Amino acid sequence: MSSTSTHDVTFYPPGGYGAPKDRRGQSLRDVGLPAGTEVFSADNHISLADDIFYQRFPEELRDKAPRIWYEDGAYMVGRKGQTFLPGDFSAVLMQYDDLAGAASSNIEARIQELATDGVDKELAFPNAVLALFHFPDKDLRERVFRIYNEYMAELQEQSNGHFYGVGLINWWDPAGTRRTLAELKSLGLKTFLLPLNPGKDDDGNIIDFGARVMDPVWDEIEQSGLPITHHIGETPPKTPCEVNSVVVGMMVNVDSFREQFAKYIFSGILDRHPGLRIGWFEGGIAWVPTALQDAEHLLASYQHMFTHQLQHDIRHYWDTHMSASFMVDPLGLQLIDRIGVDKAMWSSDYPHNESTFGYSEKSLAKVVETLGPHDAAKVVSGNIKTFLGL
């Protein structure tokens, strides 16, 4: 494997990787990690295969419950036979939902499939359930989140330490935030997903996470002690795309963290809530040095106009509060000294198209080659365990 170029052809073959459902785990050799290292993917995904919302809603509310069903190679979420998912999302699900472990119906098959690819443990984010982030009835939305959290906790218990599920919380009402965080913690879940686009309040105003009116929500999150996760996937292209819209959409999605990153720092969220910890998932790590550099330049350029003066330098906010995950990021690994070896978390992203599934061995070996065995063990195992408090 050549390390002479950031454009490493061993990761980007001209013929591509093929659909995940056509790949197989190929963990055949020692990649150079210290003995006993548990490879822990910081970002995987799971599709719901069971109609859990309909099954677990009270009988008098079942006609309002989102439904889960299988159609044309993918698990859908919607109501009355109408999916909530955009066409591109459904098309992508069809690339991997038929993998034995992709859906929630067989946690043992999932553990085994990941093991064949050299992955021992995982943190699992939702797939199609993301479509429920803006379910219009907020009381029902919280009920949906509660059921999802209970189901993730059940899978987590069944997995015997191999699977950790990411929970969902109420972010639009402080009392609901407190309630859902307490429930989530009681279930044994270790983190939750907060949307990058939080939607609208009851008066129809767009929620601004950086506004002082949201401080009570941040208070509850800080007091819970649980780390926050943000994940790509909520930022569609601003204009239509007729040709290869899936990959155009992904190019937009993988660069979706800057607005919320800026709000944490410049809106004073972290100054007012110094106990918060934030993880950025599936956007890689190469974005971090440029975001820090730009933030430092803009601080110097605009601080005379600020209504909130920062209490620390820019670097403090990253080093104290944040970390990020990657799958294949040769450039990010080259810049690891500017990111921090304790701030990067390797992930497989199983079972997505851009996942390392089928060639995780190469990705892991590259981490070892670039960082050395000791630091590589932090990146592929220790850092995510620290983030989750395991």
Side-chain angles (χ1 to χ4, degrees), residues 233-248:
E234 302 172 47
T235 312
K238 292 182 174 62
T239 58
C241 179
E242 182 177 337
V243 180
N244 287 341
S245 58
V246 169
V247 74
V248 172

Side-chain angles (χ1 to χ4, degrees), residues 76-287:
M76 302 293 174
V77 59
R79 248 189 354 211
K80 297 179 179 177
Q82 295 295 314
T83 180
F84 294 160
L85 303 173
D88 281 352
F89 204 133
S90 298
V92 170
L93 291 173
M94 294 172 189
Q95 300 294 304
Y96 52 76
D97 266 359
D98 280 338
L99 275 168
S104 60
S105 52
N106 193 335
I107 194 68
E108 291 300 327
R110 182 181 180 90
I111 293 168
Q112 181 57 38
E113 195 154 59
L114 287 167
T116 66
D117 207 41
V119 177
D120 302 301
K121 297 176 181 288
E122 62 172 327
L123 180 64
F125 288 81
N127 273 327
V129 169
L130 290 176
L132 302 178
F133 260 1
H134 301 296
F135 200 61
D137 185 317
K138 291 178 179 175
D139 289 337
L140 290 181
R141 187 194 302 172
E142 185 174 321
R143 184 182 292 275
V144 163
F145 288 0
R146 181 180 298 114
I147 290 170
Y148 183 80
N149 292 343
E150 291 170 350
Y151 190 65
M152 287 300 104
E154 291 165 12
L155 295 180
Q156 187 168 297
E157 180 69 22
Q158 293 170 28
S159 79
N160 195 28
H162 292 280
F163 173 96
Y164 293 87
V166 176
L168 305 173
I169 70 162
N170 176 330
W171 65 81
W172 55 91
D173 166 61
T177 306
R178 183 187 317 118
R179 182 169 55 247
T180 51
L181 282 168
E183 292 168 353
L184 190 146
K185 290 180 72 172
S186 72
L187 291 168
L189 300 184
K190 305 300 182 182
T191 188
F192 60 92
L193 179 59
L194 202 61
L196 296 167
N197 300 308
K200 297 180 179 181
D201 62 21
D202 291 338
D203 296 323
N205 302 308
I206 295 174
I207 295 173
D208 173 9
F209 274 144
R212 295 301 297 264
V213 70
M214 293 301 291
D215 276 356
V217 169
W218 294 115
D219 289 341
E220 296 296 341
I221 294 173
E222 182 178 34
Q223 290 169 23
S224 78
L226 293 177
I228 302 159
T229 68
H230 293 292
H231 196 283
I232 70 165
E234 302 172 47
T235 312
K238 292 182 174 62
T239 58
C241 179
E242 182 177 337
V243 180
N244 287 341
S245 58
V246 169
V247 74
V248 172
M250 281 302 301
M251 285 291 290
V252 174
N253 273 313
V254 296
D255 192 30
S256 60
F257 290 147
R258 276 200 168 209
E259 181 176 356
Q260 186 58 35
F261 172 82
K263 285 187 176 184
Y264 276 120
I265 296 173
F266 292 114
S267 293
I269 296 171
L270 293 177
D271 284 337
R272 297 191 295 274
H273 303 92
L276 294 179
R277 292 183 296 126
I278 302 110
W280 307 95
F281 290 84
E282 206 175 317
I285 55 175
W287 67 274

